Amino acid sequence: MIDVSRRQALTIAAGAAAALGTSRAVTFFPSAAAEDAAAKGFHSFKVGDITVTTVFDGIWEKPHDPGFIKNASVEETKAALRAVGLADDKVTIPFTVTFVSIGGKTIMFDAGTGGQLSPLAGKLASNMAAAGIDRSAISTIIVTHFHPDHIFGLMEKETNAQVYPNAEIVVPAAEMKFWNDAGVFAKLPEAFHGLAKRIQATLPAWKNVRQIDGEADVVSGIRAIPAYGHTAGHTVYAIGSGAEQLMLLADTTNIPALFARHPGWHAVFDADAASAEANRRKLFDRVVADRAIMTGYHYGLPGAGRMEKDGDGYAFVPVS
Ligand SMILES: [Zn+2]
């Protein structure tokens, strides 16, 4: 059933699409799955034999800041948000963690904010419970990169104690090397020094951490694909194979309204913007060609869908 608010959203969408000259009026707009998932806090679907569940951790309401996108102004950013029917008074960045059940194991990709970054995030544990995911049954946590919104959920706020001591934690070797190098502080802006110190105080000492080097199988059915640029070791994962493939694209882009539509825009979070953009275009072209389902950490619920070419950029079509 389509309620009034959805009907209004679609009307606005059609107008925005006409103004942009795009062909897909509904791509950025709430699907029935998105509305259902938003109410529940999670969304489950199948990719072949694999059960995928995306679980919502919350949002960060980021005030506008001229430094956020290096090659787009605040006005251009606001216009891009408005063009897809989003509020333009701030940038709302969601956090969504992907789980897969594969080979009888429950695997989690990244670990959420741990409620340590934004007053509006930290809902992962309660939404996992709502989704029927037993925290103690998680066998493996596969990490894409070491930004706080992806790893703080591994560590308790005050003590840094492990939140999942019984799970194996798989991390990209290149990410481990970068953040734990003694020279990292000279390479990083001061705002990242606290993060580097926290990483150095935790992950290298944890006995349940396994490093995966470059493109390699992590477990049967899950392959790591280096996609460096967002960070020194940012890694995405291909799950399953062939037509029944899930691509877990993590921070290949931040929110799609800005960075899938404008893949050439460089978010301040991308450490090496040129490499990040090259990988973004390469990976999006791959999922378009393969018709693969993808998930994005900052895509909001349902957090998964397909990409389509849309003019100079890409349009995200959520799963339904
Ligand atoms: Zn992120």
Side-chain angles (χ1 to χ4, degrees):
M1 193 183 125
I2 294 176
D3 64 22
V4 173
S5 62
R6 177 163 165 75
R7 199 182 296 274
Q8 284 170 339
L10 291 171
T11 307
I12 296 162
L20 284 169
T22 61
S23 54
R24 302 276 316 195
V26 299
T27 49
F28 295 108
F29 287 84
S31 63
E35 291 179 3
D36 178 56
K40 292 189 305 196
F42 68 92
H43 183 65
S44 280
F45 58 98
K46 284 275 201 182
V47 177
D49 295 337
I50 304 163
T51 300
V52 184
T53 305
T54 51
V55 181
F56 188 58
D57 185 40
I59 58 171
W60 173 30
E61 292 190 327
K62 199 188 92 52
H64 284 295
D65 146 26
F68 174 46
I69 304 175
K70 291 180 204 157
N71 49 356
S73 67
V74 168
E75 275 316 310
E76 287 171 311
T77 305
K78 287 182 177 179
L81 294 169
R82 281 196 304 273
V84 296
L86 295 174
D88 71 351
D89 56 329
K90 58 191 171 299
V91 181
T92 298
I93 300 180
F95 309 104
T96 312
V97 176
T98 299
F99 295 78
V100 300
S101 296
I102 185 168
K105 292 182 168 180
T106 302
I107 295 175
M108 174 165 96
F109 289 87
D110 292 332
T113 63
Q116 299 167 40
L117 288 174
S118 158
L120 299 174
K123 306 177 198 303
L124 183 65
S126 58
N127 284 335
M128 279 166 67
I133 297 168
D134 176 2
R135 290 167 73 93
S136 63
I138 294 169
S139 61
T140 309
I141 301 167
I142 300 177
V143 176
T144 62
H145 66 294
F146 290 178
H147 277 166
D149 48 324
H150 298 254
I151 62 163
F152 277 8
L154 296 171
M155 44 193 82
E156 299 287 357
K157 185 176 182 185
E158 304 297 339
T159 63
N160 280 344
Q162 289 206 55
V163 173
Y164 304 93
N166 299 320
E168 180 184 44
I169 299 172
V170 177
V171 302
E175 194 73 351
M176 200 69 169
K177 183 163 181 278
F178 175 84
W179 291 98
N180 290 297
D181 187 279
V184 72
F185 298 101
K187 295 181 203 158
L188 287 172
E190 190 146 5
F192 283 90
H193 289 192
L195 172 62
K197 285 180 190 156
R198 195 172 189 200
I199 291 166
Q200 293 182 5
T202 51
L203 289 157
W206 291 356
K207 302 287 182 244
N208 52 334
V209 171
R210 170 161 66 99
Q211 297 186 45
I212 189 102
D213 201 359
E215 178 158 352
D217 289 331
V218 180
V219 298
S220 177
I222 301 179
R223 189 161 180 82
I225 302 168
Y228 306 157
H230 177 63
T231 65
H234 180 258
T235 295
V236 303
Y237 296 91
I239 303 156
S241 62
E244 304 289 358
Q245 193 182 114
L246 176 73
M247 288 290 289
L248 186 127
L249 294 188
D251 283 18
T252 296
T253 63
N254 202 275
I255 63 171
L258 299 181
F259 302 102
R261 188 70 200 86
H262 303 279
W265 283 6
H266 294 167
V268 67
F269 313 126
D270 290 342
D272 175 345
S275 298
E277 181 184 339
N279 274 315
R280 178 151 59 241
R281 293 181 183 279
K282 191 171 92 180
L283 288 164
F284 283 174
D285 286 343
R286 174 175 169 169
V287 296
V288 169
D290 290 353
R291 298 284 299 148
I293 301 274
M294 56 145 294
T295 63
Y297 195 79
H298 299 292
Y299 279 39
L301 287 173
R306 296 184 198 274
M307 277 291 170
E308 294 185 357
K309 277 295 281 181
D310 189 0
D312 296 334
Y314 301 84
F316 177 64
V317 186
V319 291
S320 54

